[in-house]
Amino acid sequence: MTKHYRPLLEELNITYPQYLVLLVLWEKDRISVKALGKRLFLDSGTLTPMLKRMEEHGLVKRERSKEDERIVEVVLTEQGKQTEKQAEQIPLKFIEQTNLDVEEAIQLKRILNKMLVQLDTE
Amino acid sequence: MTKHYRPLLEELNITYPQYLVLLVLWEKDRISVKALGKRLFLDSGTLTPMLKRMEEHGLVKRERSKEDERIVEVVLTEQGKQTEKQAEQIPLKFIEQTNLDVEEAIQLKRILNKMLVQLDTE
DNA sequence: CACAATTAAATTGCGAACAATCTATTTGTA
DNA sequence: TACAAATAGATTGTTCGCAATTTAATTGTG
C-alpha cells in the first residue's frame, strides 16, 4: 500500500501510514496516541516517532493532557486540516488503479477486517 | 502477516519474509535474486541484506553464477531443506487462526493477487 | 497514607520495504 | 573492436512495524 499510494501522496509530502493517521484525525481532530493506535493497529513504538515527524512537517501537534499527564493528545494543525481538501480524490484514484470491481473491493475490506480483528483479539 | 506468523515461525528462528523466500526455494532450490524478487515483489535493496542474514543462519548459500557474474544464485543448504519438514503444518495453523472460511480465504487470495498484479504492471 | 500494580508513552534495537544511486558485467551496435 | 546501453546486485538513507524494556503518572488496596 505504501508503495502504490506514494505517487498519489507525493504532492502532499506524506507517506501512506501518515495518511492513515490524518484520515482518523479528519474524523476527530483530537485523539490520544493510545486510541489512535487502537484504530490503526499500531503501537507507540511506531506512532511516537511517526507523529514527531508529522509534527516537524507542521501537520499535527502533540500535547500532554492536563488532566492525566501520561496521555499525549494528537491534534490537527490548520495545515493538517487544509490537507483534507487536497487529499479528497485520493481514495477514488487508488480504487481506479487497483482495477477491482466495487463488490471485490467491499469483499476485500470485509475479509481483511474479519481476519485482522480475529488475529488481534485471540 | 509478519507479526501474526511470528509465534508459528519462532521455533524455526526465521521471520515471515524469510519464510516466503524458503517457500520459493523449497519449490526450486536454486534461483537468482532477480527471479526471486519477481516472485515475491521485492527488490535487491530488500533481498540482499535479507539473504545475507539467512546465509549467516545457515539456511541458504549465495553463489555468483560462473556464466554471468552479474547474477547471484540463491541455493538451499542442507539445513534449509530440513526446515521444510518442520514448517509443514504452518500454513494450516495460520489459516485456523484467521478464522476465515475456505471460500473467504480463496477469495482473499484471488482479489489480492488481482490487485497486486494490476498495480505492479501499470 | 504508603506502596504495589497498572497504564501511557517513550526508547532501544532489529528486520524489512523501497527510492535513489553506484558498481561491475554483459550485450548490442556503429 | 570500441563504446554506449542495458542488466544484476549492492549500497545508502529514510520510514515503518514491532518486541522488549524503561520512565513517569495514576489508580487501587492494605
Side-chain angles (χ1 to χ4, degrees):
Chain A
M1 301 301 281
T2 301
K3 178 165 109 185
H4 295 291
Y5 260 96
R6 187 186 304 277
L8 301 174
L9 295 169
E10 205 149 51
E11 52 189 312
L12 304 185
N13 205 31
I14 56 174
T15 64
Y16 179 63
Q18 291 172 13
Y19 171 64
L20 296 182
V21 168
L22 289 180
L23 282 177
V24 173
L25 286 168
W26 290 332
E27 251 180 48
K28 188 175 184 311
D29 76 349
R30 172 178 292 266
I31 189 173
S32 70
V33 171
K34 175 81 174 174
L36 188 58
K38 196 167 182 183
R39 272 290 296 271
L40 299 177
F41 299 89
L42 295 171
D43 71 1
S44 68
T46 301
L47 287 173
T48 298
M50 195 169 123
L51 293 169
K52 283 181 179 172
R53 283 190 293 272
M54 292 176 78
E55 191 170 36
E56 278 172 23
H57 284 87
L59 294 164
V60 301
K61 266 186 303 185
R62 294 160 60 254
E63 299 176 352
R64 283 274 165 196
S65 163
K66 282 274 158 53
E67 302 81 55
D68 184 342
E69 294 201 359
R70 290 172 304 180
I71 295 174
V72 168
E73 295 183 317
V74 186
V75 193
L76 273 180
T77 60
E78 203 45 50
Q79 189 192 333
K81 286 177 193 167
Q82 305 266 334
T83 306
E84 184 172 12
K85 302 178 194 89
Q86 303 170 54
E88 213 171 19
Q89 314 222 21
I90 287 176
L92 185 64
K93 282 188 191 164
F94 181 76
I95 291 272
E96 277 171 12
Q97 279 186 14
T98 62
N99 204 33
L100 296 185
D101 309 328
V102 179
E103 308 87 61
E104 286 176 326
I106 293 169
Q107 279 293 310
L108 179 59
K109 191 183 171 195
R110 188 189 64 75
I111 297 173
L112 282 180
N113 193 64
K114 174 177 174 181
M115 188 173 126
L116 203 55
V117 170
Q118 169 71 22
L119 288 174
D120 228 69
T121 49
E122 84 176 7
Chain B
M1 299 300 282
T2 301
K3 178 165 107 183
H4 295 291
Y5 261 96
R6 187 187 306 275
L8 301 173
L9 295 169
E10 205 149 50
E11 53 190 311
L12 303 185
N13 205 32
I14 56 174
T15 65
Y16 179 64
Q18 291 173 14
Y19 171 65
L20 296 182
V21 168
L22 289 179
L23 283 177
V24 173
L25 287 167
W26 290 332
E27 251 179 47
K28 188 174 185 307
D29 75 349
R30 171 178 292 267
I31 190 174
S32 68
V33 171
K34 175 79 175 175
L36 188 58
K38 195 168 182 183
R39 273 290 296 271
L40 300 178
F41 299 88
L42 295 172
D43 71 1
S44 69
T46 302
L47 286 173
T48 297
M50 192 169 128
L51 293 169
K52 283 180 178 172
R53 283 189 293 271
M54 293 177 77
E55 191 169 36
E56 278 171 22
H57 285 85
L59 294 165
V60 301
K61 266 186 303 185
R62 293 160 62 252
E63 299 176 352
R64 284 274 165 193
S65 162
K66 282 275 158 49
E67 302 82 52
D68 184 342
E69 294 200 0
R70 289 170 304 181
I71 296 174
V72 168
E73 295 184 318
V74 186
V75 193
L76 273 180
T77 60
E78 204 45 51
Q79 190 193 331
K81 287 177 193 167
Q82 306 266 335
T83 306
E84 183 171 12
K85 301 179 196 85
Q86 303 170 55
E88 214 171 19
Q89 313 221 25
I90 287 177
L92 185 63
K93 281 189 193 163
F94 181 76
I95 291 272
E96 277 172 12
Q97 281 186 12
T98 62
N99 203 33
L100 296 186
D101 310 327
V102 179
E103 308 89 60
E104 286 176 327
I106 292 170
Q107 279 293 311
L108 178 58
K109 189 183 172 195
R110 188 190 63 75
I111 297 173
L112 281 180
N113 194 64
K114 175 179 174 182
M115 187 173 125
L116 204 54
V117 170
Q118 168 72 22
L119 287 174
D120 228 69
T121 50
E122 83 176 6

